[in-house]
Amino acid sequence: MRKLPRSFYDRDTIEVAHDLLGQHLVHVFAGVERVGRIVEVEAYLGPHDLAAHSARGRTKRTSVMFGPPGHAYVYLIYGMHWCMNFVTQAEGHASAVLLRALEPVKNVQDKTNGPGLLTRAMGIDGRYHGHDLLSDDLFVRRARLAGEPIAIVKRPRIGVDYAGHWARRLLRFYVKGNPWVSRR
């Protein structure tokens, strides 16, 4: 099982979202390797996507989204939950994939069926904003082969009702039948 290369992230955001399903998120902290299988994600398609943070333009917070692919965009919601996205596509495109749920694989005891729960369980917080996903301490490891079949369910994203027609787009993807998914 190898770490995913930068070229994996430098592709169409929806393709990256689909291909992340079944892969392993790895966080090494204080000598402990925590591993979770990615089972639910949401795609955010750039500044024209009214649900994406990049729709408000480049800010200090969102500048990572406009940067090169393969970096973590980590932000705080409701003043208490960290969420992590992976920047996708070419620099300047400002697209990302939000991680919504993980299936615990190794050294993960807490709930992981929600974006804030998974970051807490994996020990990820604002220190990882802008972090290179090709590092040795936070990365995605290939756990399923490219093209290996996986049943993917498509649903509207969660919590983006303010985004008009973008709220109804089927841009949330999860592994069919997986018990760790946040919502069916």
Side-chain angles (χ1 to χ4, degrees):
M1 291 194 265
R2 297 180 330 190
K3 189 183 305 181
L4 297 179
R6 184 138 356 256
S7 58
F8 176 89
Y9 305 98
D10 191 8
R11 301 179 297 133
D12 176 78
T13 303
I14 294 173
E15 288 178 19
V16 173
H18 287 181
D19 291 346
L20 279 168
L21 294 172
Q23 309 301 356
H24 286 176
L25 175 65
V26 179
H27 182 214
V28 180
F29 183 73
V32 176
E33 182 183 72
R34 296 178 185 175
V35 182
R37 180 175 176 243
I38 300 169
V39 297
E40 183 182 2
V41 296
E42 288 181 351
Y44 289 88
L45 306 180
H48 64 284
D49 178 347
L50 298 180
H53 290 172
S54 57
R56 298 175 195 93
R58 185 186 288 254
T59 65
K60 183 178 178 183
R61 174 179 157 180
T62 64
S63 64
V64 170
M65 287 184 77
F66 289 86
H71 288 80
Y73 170 56
V74 181
Y75 61 92
L76 192 64
I77 59 167
Y78 310 124
M80 59 190 204
H81 299 293
W82 293 103
C83 295
M84 183 169 61
N85 292 253
F86 296 156
V87 177
T88 60
Q89 298 196 214
E91 188 165 351
H93 199 274
S95 295
V97 175
L98 170 69
L99 300 187
R100 284 204 54 87
L102 298 175
E103 177 181 337
V105 172
K106 180 180 176 186
N107 296 321
V108 180
Q109 276 75 40
D110 298 326
K111 288 184 176 186
T112 56
N113 58 335
L117 294 172
L118 80 83
T119 55
R120 182 179 301 137
M122 293 293 288
I124 296 166
D125 58 26
R127 293 175 290 185
Y128 293 92
H129 181 65
H131 200 82
D132 189 344
L133 296 171
L134 274 63
S135 69
D136 290 331
D137 61 342
L138 180 64
F139 57 91
V140 178
R141 184 167 55 205
R142 189 171 301 283
R144 76 176 174 95
L145 301 174
E148 184 181 336
I150 190 168
I152 298 174
V153 177
K154 301 174 184 181
R155 294 283 187 262
R157 294 175 291 192
I158 296 170
V160 295
D161 294 340
Y162 59 85
H165 76 279
W166 283 97
R168 295 182 298 279
R169 300 272 314 265
L170 301 179
L171 294 171
R172 180 169 65 102
F173 311 106
Y174 62 84
V175 176
K176 184 177 183 179
N178 189 283
W180 296 94
V181 170
S182 67
R183 265 192 232 175
R184 303 282 182 270

